[in-house]
Amino acid sequence: MSHHMTEVKDLHYVYPDGHKAVNGISFKIHHGESVGIIGANGAGKSTLLMLLMGVLFPCQGEVLVGEVLVTKKTLPGIRQRMGMVFQDPDDQLFMTTVYDDVAFGPRNYNLEEKEVEKRVLQALEMVGILHLKDRAPFKLSGGEKRAAAIASVLSLQPDILVMDEPTSALDPKSRRRLMKLLDSFEHTKIITSHDLDMVYELCDRSIVIKDGEIAADGPTSKILVDADLMDACGLEIPLALQNCPVCGRKK
Amino acid sequence: MKTSEAGLNTTFDMRLLDDMARKETVIHRVHPLVKLVTTVIYLTVVVSFGSYEIIGLLPLLFYPVLVITLAELPIRPILKRMLLAAPFVIGIGILNPVFDHQVFVVGGLTLSRGWITFFSIVLKCILTVSAALLLIASTGMDKLASALRMLKIPRLFVLQLLLTYRYISVLMEEVTRILRAYSMRAPQQKGIHPKVWGSLTGQLILRTFERAQRVYQAMCLRGFTGEYNTGAHERITVRDTVYLVVWGLFFALARIYNIPMLIGSLLTGVV
Amino acid sequence: MHMADALISPVVGGTMWAATAGAAAYSIKKVKNEMDENKIPLMGVMGAFIFAAQMINFTIPGTGSSGHLGGGLLLAILLGPYAGFLTMAAVLTIQALFFADGGLLALGCNIFNLGFFSCFIAYPLIYKLIIAKGYTRKRIWGAGMLSAIIGLQLGAFGVVLETLLSGKTELPFGTFVALMQPIHLAIGVVEGLVVAAVVSFVWKQRPEIIEKAALGQPMGSLSIKKVLTGLAIAAVLFGGIFSWFASANPDGLEWSMFRTAGVEELEAPDGIHETLAKLQEKTAFLPDYGFKAPETASEPAAKDGEAAAEESEAWPAVSGGTSTAGIVGGVLTLAFAALIGFAVSLVKKKKPDLTA
Ligand SMILES: Nc1ncnc2c1ncn2[C@@H]1O[C@H](COP(=O)(O)OP(=O)(O)OP(=O)(O)O)[C@@H](O)[C@H]1O
Ligand SMILES: [Mg+2]
């Protein structure tokens, strides 16, 4: 399954104002893996995702998706295989109804309207908001918006799902529902988040970023429990792993 | 004068109209293009009446009355909108009785031409405003956009129109938050002080540019290349055609014959 | 200030629609040529911004006066004239549909008054001329103020002309102008101050936004001339064709009917109004629509008056008996309309009970 591999080689990115956001990052992500990318505010996580998606182009180094180099030319093909869910669903739900929004991607690839409909309904079914299909996005709750944003990406049937802070601003129930949903996907998942408990539950592997560089890369079960490492990178051990506040015993 | 309250009202009204448009009634099921064309014909007919016409316009009331009841639309919010739209028209209209003092006497009644013009304008205002609101309340923005596409209005404009519609509520919320934060720290002021006109509005613009950039990225990631593909259009059925023809005929009749006058003459025996 | 459907005639509405459609089509071509699809979401979201910004109440302390952002000029400065015009068109379309501001037939007028004048006259001919030597703080203030005021003055004059040519309201031209222009001078000053403040801020923070909009849009004198000639031809053609129709069906003759069909006229004794009437007589544009009704037109109108029963136009001119008939018929029509509405909603309300 090497054709679904995502590879990043010695990636560098400097913003136009001279700020070095990514400084030599390299990693390989295999098909079906779910990877959490964590790090303090401003560590460069969102920038890294933008580079993966070909929204930004690296100053140095390269991104390979399924052994294809990401360039302006290969972009259309690659984007069909990678779906990205934005941090703010309002940026992503730009059409007037949920249905039209989920159909936006497939229609751009000039699929038959029948096929479009099939995919839209399938995607909405998957995230459990089929009943909202004729709603206007501005009338959805935060959790429903997030689900719709995910559906709008799923309708393109990507192999790789990239998400920037999917659980931010969700109430506990919506967060739980979303995590269940994400857990059920067999896609390759790349998730950035400050919600370390979610990363702990969902991702087998974690990459810790600090100042645009990889500080650690390995199994989540090893990385997230390493108190010194987490502290050095401006993070904390997930609450679920911390000492119980009531009895002081380690769970 | 609009305040942040008005902003909430705007978003509220848009939600309300959107809710209305999602109903399933005979009127809602009529093809959006047919509804648009019917509305335009209706408006043209209303507006073509002269400035002293009142009685002849009355039969045209049937259109909004029938549409509003058949589409099961609530009357109150539509009336409210109508009142909000009225001031300019009434302002211009009220100048007629002020400037036009010519009077004539009919059947013992002394009527001022200015007042007749005024009432004619008010009646036209009621008819045209309700027709426009009923169109959107029974169709919805997305379907109306597909009607515009069928009329060969360029994709670029239709997409841009939809985006504007979509982001009104998002930006309204942003402004409401800013204004609330501002008024909390400047409770004595009625509006925004000139010192911060530039920075307050300018910040908002910069944020808007950033948001537009993100929206653009989200669109690109889903294969957007500058073309906007709407789905397949609904077909115009026989029923839709009948709807258009029947209303068209009625409007034409109302325009050519003064129907109330004919009825009245029959009843009172004056020919 | 928005033109309303209730105040315009089909001819004026149609002509302005044609002119606006021409300008919009040309703008779309221009925006497409730039091949900057990045601009489409920007135009969309900026349109929404205008809506939101109109909520902000800009007050001038001590004067009690305040204003709101109109939008056309600011959009032209930030997006360039073509994209700015299209964005303004979208904003006004949504206002007409959802808030009944203006109306669908008057939409052409409104886009022209509020979009065309600021994007294609005030922006290129005044703002850009002053800014041509490069952006400075002073020039931004001068250019912003001047072009906002002139753009709004032109727009207000557009409202006056469109209203008068429509002939649905009988205001004297001079009075109308004397009313509209000063109001819009005040509005223009506030708008200019806001635009200048905002542009200065954005220019300081992100100069590339403003300079790019100005640069990327070659507005040679040739192209604007082309637009204007194209529009003028379209307007003349449209106006010509429509007035030919209009004259075939004498619509604006009610005035003369009054004079001749035996209706008593009582001149108001008020001196001011007489002078106003005289002033208006001098300034009347279309004699058919004003006081200066031609004598010849009154002949057929007089005959019409006798046949008034079946002639809808002539109601004000009919005898006492027929006017009673009109009132009776009118009341009946109203009652019938109300009855139908009531009956339909009753049936509608019953239906769920039957099916349940
Ligand atoms: N458009 C930009 N221009 C200049 N610098 C930027 C820009 N966007 C981000 N940066 C900078 O690049 C760095 C990395 O930003 P990035 O958004 O990738 O961080 P992040 O890890 O996603 O942070 P967060 O957890 O807060 O979302 C930050 O220091 C930020 O200030
Ligand atoms: Mg981020």
Side-chain angles (χ1 to χ4, degrees):
Chain A
M1 279 292 202
S2 71
H3 72 282
H4 287 159
M5 195 169 72
T6 312
E7 190 174 0
V8 164
K9 288 184 194 163
D10 191 32
L11 215 54
H12 288 262
Y13 186 79
V14 183
Y15 274 105
D17 63 357
H19 188 92
K20 285 185 191 160
V22 172
N23 288 315
I25 287 182
S26 308
F27 57 76
K28 270 186 196 175
I29 293 173
H30 295 277
H31 177 68
E33 261 191 294
S34 72
V35 180
I37 295 181
I38 54 179
N41 287 129
K45 304 176 301 284
S46 298
T47 312
L48 179 63
L49 293 191
M50 291 298 172
L51 288 165
L52 275 182
M53 301 300 299
V55 172
L56 300 174
F57 287 96
C59 308
Q60 189 192 323
E62 50 194 32
V63 179
L64 293 151
V65 176
E67 278 153 16
V68 181
L69 187 68
V70 175
T71 60
K72 282 230 159 87
K73 260 201 197 133
T74 58
L75 218 47
I78 283 170
R79 281 182 174 167
Q80 236 176 321
R81 300 169 46 186
M82 296 179 73
M84 173 156 173
V85 180
F86 280 59
Q87 192 166 344
D88 181 356
D90 270 327
D91 294 340
Q92 191 154 11
L93 302 171
F94 40 76
M95 299 299 287
T96 34
T97 66
V98 171
Y99 184 98
D100 279 338
D101 217 291
V102 179
F104 184 84
R107 280 177 184 159
N108 276 330
Y109 287 101
N110 289 320
L111 298 177
E112 291 271 321
E113 198 54 30
K114 266 228 174 95
E115 173 69 15
V116 171
E117 188 182 344
K118 206 184 96 197
R119 284 195 182 197
V120 173
L121 298 182
Q122 209 177 355
L124 290 173
E125 184 89 71
M126 252 171 158
V127 298
I129 54 162
L130 194 56
H131 57 289
L132 299 178
K133 74 179 165 56
D134 293 320
R135 282 276 205 103
F138 63 78
K139 286 198 294 197
L140 301 180
S141 76
E144 290 166 342
K145 270 188 198 169
R146 193 78 59 153
I150 294 175
S152 75
V153 166
L154 289 180
S155 63
L156 281 169
Q157 305 187 337
D159 304 316
I160 303 166
L161 208 53
V162 178
M163 275 174 278
D164 201 353
E165 320 233 1
T167 53
S168 66
L170 290 189
D171 66 36
K173 279 249 168 64
S174 312
R175 170 178 172 272
R176 182 50 60 188
R177 207 176 303 128
L178 180 81
M179 282 166 62
K180 236 186 222 155
L181 178 69
L182 293 181
D183 208 24
S184 67
F185 292 148
E186 302 126 46
H187 303 77
T188 307
K189 276 168 287 198
I190 303 176
I191 304 173
T192 78
S193 188
H194 296 297
D195 181 354
L196 298 179
D197 288 87
M198 178 203 58
V199 172
Y200 190 74
E201 275 186 49
L202 283 185
C203 304
D204 319 319
R205 176 179 163 194
S206 293
I207 298 178
V208 185
I209 311 257
K210 192 192 174 198
D211 300 330
E213 287 172 49
I214 293 188
D217 180 354
T220 305
S221 53
K222 290 224 175 94
I223 289 186
L224 291 193
V225 294
D226 185 341
D228 295 333
L229 171 72
M230 299 302 277
D231 195 51
C233 298
L235 299 169
E236 235 181 18
I237 291 178
L239 288 174
L241 301 177
Q242 288 177 16
N243 292 347
C244 171
V246 183
C247 57
R249 222 177 340 135
K250 195 155 179 166
K251 274 196 199 165
Chain B
M1 214 174 282
K2 294 179 193 169
T3 59
S4 62
E5 276 311 299
L8 294 179
N9 275 341
T10 310
T11 347
F12 177 74
D13 281 350
M14 286 179 59
R15 279 162 182 260
L16 198 71
L17 281 170
D18 194 82
D19 279 336
M20 291 184 203
R22 307 252 169 254
K23 286 190 171 172
E24 291 264 338
T25 68
V26 207
I27 301 289
H28 286 78
R29 276 191 287 271
V30 174
H31 193 278
L33 182 58
V34 168
K35 266 185 281 190
L36 177 62
V37 172
T38 311
T39 307
V40 171
I41 297 176
Y42 176 75
L43 292 175
T44 314
V45 167
V46 170
V47 154
S48 74
F49 276 93
S51 49
Y52 296 118
E53 201 60 68
I54 292 176
I55 300 285
L57 275 165
L58 290 178
L60 291 168
L61 263 171
F62 277 96
Y63 174 71
V65 166
L66 263 178
V67 171
I68 213 171
T69 42
L70 284 175
E72 298 169 22
L73 298 173
I75 296 175
R76 202 177 275 249
I78 290 181
L79 277 181
K80 199 189 107 203
R81 269 276 135 227
M82 231 184 269
L83 284 179
L84 287 178
F88 176 63
V89 172
I90 291 188
I92 297 280
I94 203 75
L95 292 172
N96 278 292
V98 173
F99 285 108
D100 191 353
H101 280 211
Q102 303 203 34
V103 171
F104 59 97
V105 182
V106 221
L109 277 163
T110 312
L111 294 172
S112 144
R113 258 181 357 196
W115 280 108
I116 291 193
T117 314
F118 173 68
F119 284 120
S120 175
I121 288 175
V122 169
L123 185 56
K124 277 181 208 152
C125 179
I126 292 171
L127 296 178
T128 52
V129 167
S130 60
L133 284 175
L134 290 180
L135 172 67
I136 197 73
S138 68
T139 312
M141 194 63 196
D142 44 324
K143 292 225 179 93
L144 200 65
S146 82
L148 293 180
R149 280 297 299 138
M150 287 180 84
L151 283 174
K152 302 273 180 282
I153 305 280
R155 292 162 203 272
L156 188 150
F157 185 74
V158 175
L159 178 56
Q160 181 215 335
L161 192 68
L162 285 176
L163 283 170
T164 298
Y165 172 70
R166 163 70 182 92
Y167 281 99
I168 288 175
S169 56
V170 175
L171 287 175
M172 284 282 181
E173 265 163 45
E174 224 161 277
V175 172
T176 312
R177 277 200 301 268
I178 291 179
L179 290 182
R180 211 177 283 146
Y182 180 90
S183 63
M184 275 179 192
R185 285 181 289 165
Q188 259 86 60
Q189 290 174 30
K190 247 171 62 196
I192 302 296
H193 196 272
K195 249 194 221 148
V196 294
W197 285 3
S199 53
L200 191 139
T201 321
Q203 289 286 5
L204 194 62
I205 287 181
L206 294 185
R207 264 197 248 168
T208 308
F209 268 68
E210 272 154 32
R211 176 168 311 266
Q213 184 66 26
R214 291 196 302 273
V215 171
Y216 173 62
Q217 284 166 357
M219 291 170 96
C220 284
L221 290 180
R222 287 194 268 153
F224 177 69
T225 53
E227 285 293 296
Y228 161 57
N229 301 303
T230 36
H233 296 305
E234 279 174 64
R235 289 228 176 140
I236 296 181
T237 61
V238 179
R239 243 192 24 197
D240 298 322
T241 323
V242 170
Y243 180 85
L244 179 63
V245 169
V246 169
W247 277 125
L249 278 177
F250 174 68
F251 299 155
L253 280 178
R255 181 67 190 91
I256 297 166
Y257 300 103
N258 189 331
I259 297 172
M261 187 63 89
L262 289 180
I263 298 172
S265 326
L266 269 176
L267 285 179
T268 55
V270 183
V271 181
Chain C
M1 207 163 271
H2 290 39
M3 265 308 269
D5 275 356
L7 295 176
I8 64 165
S9 69
V11 188
V12 172
T15 311
M16 297 314 286
W17 254 109
T20 296
Y26 189 77
S27 302
I28 287 177
K29 211 180 110 199
K30 277 286 185 186
V31 172
K32 263 194 184 156
N33 280 350
E34 278 165 35
M35 282 300 289
D36 196 0
E37 77 250 14
N38 188 346
K39 224 171 198 169
I40 298 170
L42 183 57
M43 287 157 71
V45 185
M46 276 305 284
F49 161 81
I50 294 294
F51 265 95
Q54 283 176 348
M55 281 162 56
I56 304 175
N57 199 357
F58 298 101
T59 45
I60 303 175
T63 60
S65 63
S66 69
H68 299 279
L69 199 58
L73 179 65
L74 187 64
L75 286 173
I77 296 172
L78 292 173
L79 305 174
Y82 302 109
F85 178 73
L86 291 174
T87 306
M88 203 60 207
V91 168
L92 291 167
T93 305
I94 291 176
Q95 281 182 346
L97 282 171
F98 285 84
F99 308 109
D101 270 346
L104 293 181
L105 292 184
L107 184 56
C109 297
N110 285 321
I111 296 176
F112 205 86
N113 298 343
L114 296 167
F116 185 89
F117 289 126
S118 41
C119 293
F120 295 124
I121 308 280
Y123 174 73
L125 301 183
I126 297 158
Y127 183 87
K128 281 203 76 178
L129 216 65
I130 299 178
I131 291 292
K133 285 194 213 109
Y135 272 89
T136 64
R137 234 186 113 69
K138 260 195 201 143
R139 287 203 198 112
I140 290 177
W141 282 89
M145 289 294 292
L146 203 61
S147 44
I149 291 170
I150 292 183
L152 270 161
Q153 286 296 307
L154 289 171
F157 196 63
V159 172
V160 171
L161 280 190
E162 286 149 11
T163 309
L164 287 183
L165 289 176
S166 292
K168 301 288 154 176
T169 176
E170 307 291 345
L171 284 186
F173 173 75
T175 327
F176 204 1
V177 168
L179 206 72
M180 288 288 281
Q181 304 304 125
I183 294 178
H184 282 82
L185 183 66
I187 298 177
V189 169
V190 179
E191 168 110 11
L193 290 172
V194 176
V195 166
V198 171
V199 172
S200 307
F201 178 85
V202 175
W203 177 67
K204 235 189 295 169
Q205 301 281 319
R206 299 270 303 272
E208 77 279 1
I209 288 180
I210 286 178
E211 276 149 24
K212 194 174 146 209
L215 264 180
Q217 314 264 348
M219 280 273 287
S221 54
L222 192 78
S223 67
I224 190 127
K225 224 182 252 167
K226 259 196 212 155
V227 184
L228 287 178
T229 16
L231 286 175
I233 291 171
V236 167
L237 271 181
F238 236 81
I241 292 167
F242 267 97
S243 35
W244 183 73
F245 272 113
S247 64
N249 168 30
D251 203 34
L253 294 182
E254 295 107 332
W255 275 117
S256 43
M257 283 178 224
F258 274 106
R259 299 245 159 102
T260 50
V263 180
E264 267 189 72
E265 272 187 28
L266 301 173
E267 280 289 345
D270 202 333
I272 300 168
H273 291 300
E274 259 190 37
T275 35
L276 278 174
K278 275 211 190 95
L279 184 76
Q280 197 236 6
E281 211 157 70
K282 284 199 191 101
T283 47
F285 270 62
L286 287 185
D288 273 312
Y289 289 95
F291 280 98
K292 282 201 259 171
E295 279 307 306
T296 46
S298 48
E299 303 286 328
K303 274 177 216 139
D304 262 352
E306 274 138 39
E310 68 254 30
E311 180 59 68
S312 66
E313 306 286 338
W315 172 71
V318 297
S319 67
T322 36
S323 78
T324 322
I327 290 163
V328 170
V331 169
L332 273 177
T333 311
L334 276 180
F336 193 47
L339 194 73
I340 287 220
F342 208 64
V344 172
S345 57
L346 260 184
V347 171
K348 284 255 171 192
K349 261 183 210 143
K350 278 257 172 69
K351 227 174 17 188
D353 299 343
L354 291 175
T355 47

